[in-house]
């Protein structure tokens, strides 16, 4: 058991949650050791030729956490703060996430420590192609499948697929989250945000409430935050506040998300969008709303602000937005948290649908994708909720317990441990 501390690293934090669930489930010591470590980690040096001819050396990581249930699966983020510990944490979250929604994958994650704001499109393309070729010997459509994450998108995946295909032949199933004309799945772009809203709806229904009029604040307006805000508004929630790295906007009557999207596309930020009041970016987490959705970086709710969080419901659209100490503080105050490994599992779920479509060389229409996503997310929510009720634990511990049980079972059946 890891001791609860303020200054835990991201990987220690995820393992804190893991150990808590493993201990309650009386998982044996050997299995605990295997599941709390990573299978393989690589760091690659990427000498990046800049447009002006100079070379910048950056570093990239790929961590494969556990493959008992299937090929390693997870995104790649480009971020100045990406480091090995964070990538390990995110890789392990993928193992638990894929197990909760019961898709036949393990968990992995990648990261390149770089500020994309400083790169041109052609520098970004060279970086991506080189990273793919450097990790190509540990990935494969039945080995490890990458996908978008923070600051990566369908275009990044297109370059990766192309770089891989140059040496291995056309292999669309090597990455998911591709552009639709290259074998991407309809509905993948919206999937993470849609999954968040599906599980939120389930929780709201269980609480005997209706979405209409419930106020929502969304921190982050990238792929996940913007889709979550848009779909929540469509369901009748009143999205009153949204933020991105450059600013935060508020409208008590509810923001027009389409207008925000248009403004952000042109101005590069939601800041100063029409019909909005400007607010402090950090204050968005502390707003008096019914639902708070952190949809940006990890570790935004910590010991230092947890006692100021007023929303009774938190949907973890981002990975690891709440530290373990803050998690305890919020639980003591009666806050309900839909944990990341459940709430944001919609993205990897539709990645699974994309992968199966690629392998079968057959494509589904968007209606089918969304219906299957709905089924998987609702089932996962109900299983987690039932476990939480039966064992009198919170949704995070229930999610970890279910996931750990599935992964341990697969590891035992394979004879790993
Ligand atoms: N990066 C997303 C996540 O954190 C999606 C991963 C995937 O589709 O493989 O879940």
């Amino acid at each position: 058991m890891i001791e609860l501390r303020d200054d835990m690293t991201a990987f220690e934090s995820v393992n804190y949650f893991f150990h808590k669930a493993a201990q309650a489930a009386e998982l044996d010591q050997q299995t605990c050791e295997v599941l709390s470590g990573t299978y393989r980690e690589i760091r690659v040096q990427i000498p990046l030729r800049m447009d002006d001819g100079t070379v910048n050396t950056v570093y990239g990581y790929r961590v494969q956490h556990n493959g008992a249930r299937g090929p390693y699966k997870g995104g790649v983020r480009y971020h100045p703060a990406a480091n090995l510990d964070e990538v390990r944490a995110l890789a392990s979250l993928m193992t638990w996430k894929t197990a909760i929604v019961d898709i036949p994958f393990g968990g992995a994650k990648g990261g390149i420590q770089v500020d994309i704001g400083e790169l041109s499109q052609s520098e970004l393309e060279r970086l991506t192609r080189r990273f793919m070729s450097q990790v190509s010997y540990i990935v494969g459509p039945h080995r490890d499948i990458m996908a978008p994450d923070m600051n990566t998108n369908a275009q990044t995946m297109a370059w990766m697929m192309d770089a891989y295909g140059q040496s291995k032949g056309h292999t669309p199933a090597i990455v998911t989250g591709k552009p639709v004309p290259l074998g991407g799945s309809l509905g993948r772009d919206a999937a993470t945000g849609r999954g968040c809203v599906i599980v939120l709806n389930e929780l709201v229904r269980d609480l005997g409430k209706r979405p209409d009029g419930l106020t929502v604040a969304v921190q982050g307006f990238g792929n996940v935050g913007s889709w979550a805000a848009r779909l929540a508004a469509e369901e009748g929630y009143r999205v009153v506040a949204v933020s991105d790295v450059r600013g935060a906007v508020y409208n008590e009557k509810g923001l027009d998300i389409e207008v925000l999207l248009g403004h952000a596309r042109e101005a590069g930020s939601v800041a100063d969008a029409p019909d909005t009041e400007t607010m402090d970016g950090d204050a968005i987490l502390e707003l008096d709303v019914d639902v708070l959705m952190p949809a940006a970086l990890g570790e935004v709710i910590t010991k230092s602000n947890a006692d100021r969080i007023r929303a009774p419901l938190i949907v973890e659209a981002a990975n690891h937005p709440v530290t373990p100490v803050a998690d305890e503080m919020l639980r003591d105050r009666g806050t309900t948290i839909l944990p990341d490994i459940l709430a944001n599992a919609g993205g990897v779920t539709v990645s699974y649908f994309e992968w199966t479509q690629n392998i079968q060389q057959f494509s589904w229409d968007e209606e089918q994708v969304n219906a299957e996503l709905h089924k998987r997310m609702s089932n996962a929510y109900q299983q987690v909720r039932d476990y939480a009720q039966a064992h009198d634990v919170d949704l995070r511990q229930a999610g970890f317990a279910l996931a750990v049980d599935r992964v341990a079972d697969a590891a035992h059946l394979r004879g790993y441990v």
Side-chain angles (χ1 to χ4, degrees):
M1 185 79 194
I2 298 176
E3 185 202 339
L4 185 61
R5 300 189 327 270
D6 252 10
D7 59 346
M8 291 165 114
T9 69
F11 191 41
E12 282 174 336
S13 298
V14 178
N15 271 339
Y16 174 81
F17 295 131
F18 159 75
H19 279 295
K20 211 164 121 182
Q23 203 171 40
E26 294 177 7
L27 193 67
D28 66 276
Q29 180 53 33
Q30 291 168 40
T31 312
C32 260
E33 208 171 306
V34 171
L35 301 190
S36 58
T38 60
Y39 166 66
R40 175 154 54 185
E41 306 180 335
I42 62 165
R43 188 195 74 156
V44 293
Q45 186 187 57
I46 312 170
L48 172 62
R49 174 82 53 195
M50 306 301 280
D51 294 343
D52 66 5
T54 59
V55 172
N56 253 358
T57 306
V58 300
Y59 289 91
Y61 305 92
R62 185 72 180 167
V63 173
Q64 298 171 338
H65 175 258
N66 187 282
R69 299 183 66 264
Y72 300 97
K73 183 82 192 82
V76 181
R77 63 172 55 179
Y78 291 177
H79 198 271
N83 60 43
L84 187 54
D85 182 82
E86 187 198 56
V87 176
R88 278 181 186 146
L90 296 165
S92 64
L93 284 173
M94 291 308 301
T95 300
W96 313 126
K97 206 183 287 189
T98 51
I100 287 192
V101 284
D102 207 6
I103 55 177
F105 287 136
K109 199 81 170 201
I112 302 181
Q113 200 174 81
V114 71
D115 181 356
I116 62 153
E118 290 173 2
L119 301 183
S120 69
Q121 273 293 100
S122 53
E123 287 162 350
L124 211 50
E125 177 175 349
R126 282 196 291 280
L127 173 73
T128 302
R129 287 180 178 280
R130 190 164 266 258
F131 177 67
M132 176 47 117
S133 64
Q134 283 166 331
V135 300
S136 62
Y137 62 95
I138 61 151
V139 299
H142 297 284
R143 195 175 284 280
D144 184 353
I145 304 118
M146 300 199 277
D149 196 77
M150 202 174 279
N151 295 326
T152 51
N153 55 26
Q155 177 61 72
T156 324
M157 296 305 114
W159 291 327
M160 283 193 178
M161 182 191 90
D162 189 66
Y164 187 84
Q166 281 180 340
S167 60
K168 314 266 181 187
H170 182 58
T171 316
I174 184 61
V175 287
T176 57
K178 298 176 291 292
V180 173
L182 293 182
S185 180
L186 292 167
R188 174 62 186 84
D189 198 42
T192 311
R194 187 178 297 279
C196 291
V197 176
I198 294 169
V199 291
L200 172 61
N201 280 343
E202 292 276 346
L203 175 64
V204 163
R205 189 174 329 125
D206 276 350
L207 295 171
K209 297 187 178 168
R210 293 168 50 80
D212 303 282
L214 288 184
T215 53
V216 180
V218 184
Q219 186 220 20
F221 204 61
N223 169 277
V224 180
S226 62
W227 274 109
R230 186 195 290 194
L231 296 168
E234 272 175 31
E235 290 285 321
Y237 295 93
R238 184 147 52 95
V239 182
V240 292
V242 159
S243 70
D244 60 27
V245 277
R246 295 218 228 143
V249 289
Y250 181 82
N251 184 335
E252 201 194 336
K253 296 204 197 84
L255 296 159
D256 185 333
I257 309 299
E258 295 302 324
V259 169
L260 282 190
L261 282 164
H263 180 83
R265 241 189 318 269
E266 274 177 24
S269 168
V270 293
D272 304 320
D275 266 338
T276 66
E277 286 167 42
T278 300
M279 65 174 290
D280 176 48
D282 292 335
I284 196 164
L285 295 170
E286 300 166 19
L287 273 178
D288 187 10
V289 286
D290 298 306
V291 183
L292 175 64
M293 281 200 199
L297 277 171
E299 299 181 5
V300 292
I301 302 178
T302 65
K303 189 183 175 195
S304 65
N305 62 353
D307 55 359
R308 294 197 302 276
I309 305 292
R310 286 187 279 174
L313 302 183
I314 297 180
V315 183
E316 294 187 343
N319 286 314
H320 186 46
V322 178
T323 66
V325 173
D327 188 69
E328 302 254 313
M329 290 166 69
L330 291 167
R331 198 180 39 251
D332 289 347
R333 294 174 51 197
T335 311
T336 301
I337 302 180
L338 278 166
D340 47 9
I341 53 174
L342 169 65
N344 71 34
V348 74
T349 300
V350 176
S351 276
Y352 165 55
F353 301 156
E354 179 173 329
W355 180 77
T356 58
Q357 291 172 73
N358 294 154
I359 285 172
Q360 296 177 0
Q361 302 192 39
F362 185 81
S363 60
W364 302 359
D365 62 29
E366 196 166 350
E367 230 181 338
Q368 184 179 356
V369 170
N370 290 343
E372 289 289 332
L373 173 64
H374 198 279
K375 202 154 67 185
R376 294 254 174 192
M377 293 300 293
S378 296
N379 282 344
Y381 167 82
Q382 284 157 19
Q383 287 167 6
V384 171
R385 176 207 55 201
D386 291 350
Y387 188 101
Q389 281 171 359
H391 295 82
D392 195 22
V393 293
D394 63 23
L395 295 170
R396 189 185 317 275
Q397 192 170 337
F400 268 91
L402 276 179
V404 168
D405 186 54
R406 287 177 186 164
V407 177
D409 195 28
H412 291 152
L413 287 167
R414 280 178 187 261
Y416 276 9
V417 258

